[in-house]
Amino acid sequence: MKNFKIGVLMIGLTINLFTSGCSKAQRSSTDLMGKHVLIVYLTRTKNTEAVARMIQKQVGGTLVALELVNPYPQDYKEQVAQVVRENESGFLPPLKTKIDSLAKYDVVFVGFPTWDMKMPPPMKSFLHAYDLSGKTVVPFNTNAGYGVGSGFDSVKALCPKSTVLTGFSTQGGKEREGIMLAIKDGQADETAKAVTKWLREIGFLK
């Protein structure tokens, strides 16, 4: 009888632990759904913009594309050389884009391509210029197949007082090879499915 009671107690504990885990996941989803969302992105080949629009289609929110006071050169090699210099010097290019009433947003998605295996300087400019303390920050990334590099780590470093969720990264264009917008047609369909899966995993979709 004693062993039977212990067994029943253990089963009860297991059920309570499982239930608590489910409730926590449900609360997380409920906490994020219905929040005021801002989606800020930097794009050159339109691939990051394509992902930003997929996110907006699923969770709503306001889309904002980062634009510079002094745009980068159209020539790819010149742009790469300029970005390398900016990364080495820590230069933050001034933004033409201005965001009003940032306080009204609870969640800020930040999207950017991988440049020089890092976060692009313009996105660093944005994260330095705007205080995202207390907000939920969600990074997303496109790249030429080399991965996100240190980009997501930079988001965490520049948003120390924010809740930074797991980011999303996918392959986009390969400008060096003349491949610009790659997230289209079949690849767009596959990317959209991956975005939906990711949004569900981090609590934005049921």
Side-chain angles (χ1 to χ4, degrees), residues 8-172:
V8 171
L9 178 62
M10 292 302 295
I11 291 172
L13 286 172
T14 302
I15 292 173
N16 286 334
L17 287 171
F18 178 76
T19 304
S20 297
C22 290
S23 298
K24 184 176 181 180
Q26 290 169 352
R27 283 198 302 271
S28 176
S29 177
T30 302
D31 288 344
L32 292 172
M33 292 170 61
K35 296 294 186 180
H36 290 94
V37 173
L38 174 67
I39 305 169
V40 179
Y41 66 93
L42 176 73
T43 195
R44 180 174 169 89
T45 58
K46 303 298 183 182
N47 290 283
T48 308
E49 179 181 358
V51 176
R53 292 188 179 281
M54 291 173 185
I55 294 169
Q56 186 193 40
K57 185 176 180 180
Q58 294 279 14
V59 304
T62 303
L63 275 179
V64 175
L66 290 184
E67 296 182 8
L68 299 180
V69 172
N70 301 304
Y72 284 108
Q74 289 297 315
D75 182 82
Y76 174 71
K77 291 183 179 179
E78 290 180 13
Q79 186 247 3
V80 168
Q82 181 173 329
V83 169
V84 170
R85 291 194 301 270
E86 290 176 350
N87 282 332
E88 290 175 346
S89 67
F91 176 73
L92 298 176
L95 299 175
K96 180 180 179 181
T97 303
K98 305 297 181 184
I99 299 175
D100 297 324
S101 304
L102 185 67
K104 71 180 181 181
Y105 296 104
D106 309 298
V107 178
V108 181
F109 285 82
V110 290
F112 50 87
T114 300
W115 288 357
D116 192 27
M117 293 308 294
K118 299 176 178 66
M119 173 189 287
M123 185 56 71
K124 293 177 185 176
S125 295
F126 168 74
L127 293 178
H128 276 279
Y130 294 93
D131 183 7
L132 303 184
S133 298
K135 300 184 186 298
T136 297
V137 177
V138 194
F140 62 99
N141 164 267
T142 61
N143 59 80
Y146 301 108
V148 70
S150 61
F152 288 172
D153 291 333
S154 293
V155 174
K156 294 177 182 178
L158 294 172
C159 303
K161 296 182 180 180
S162 305
T163 300
V164 180
L165 301 187
T166 301
F168 174 83
S169 183
T170 189
Q171 185 168 321

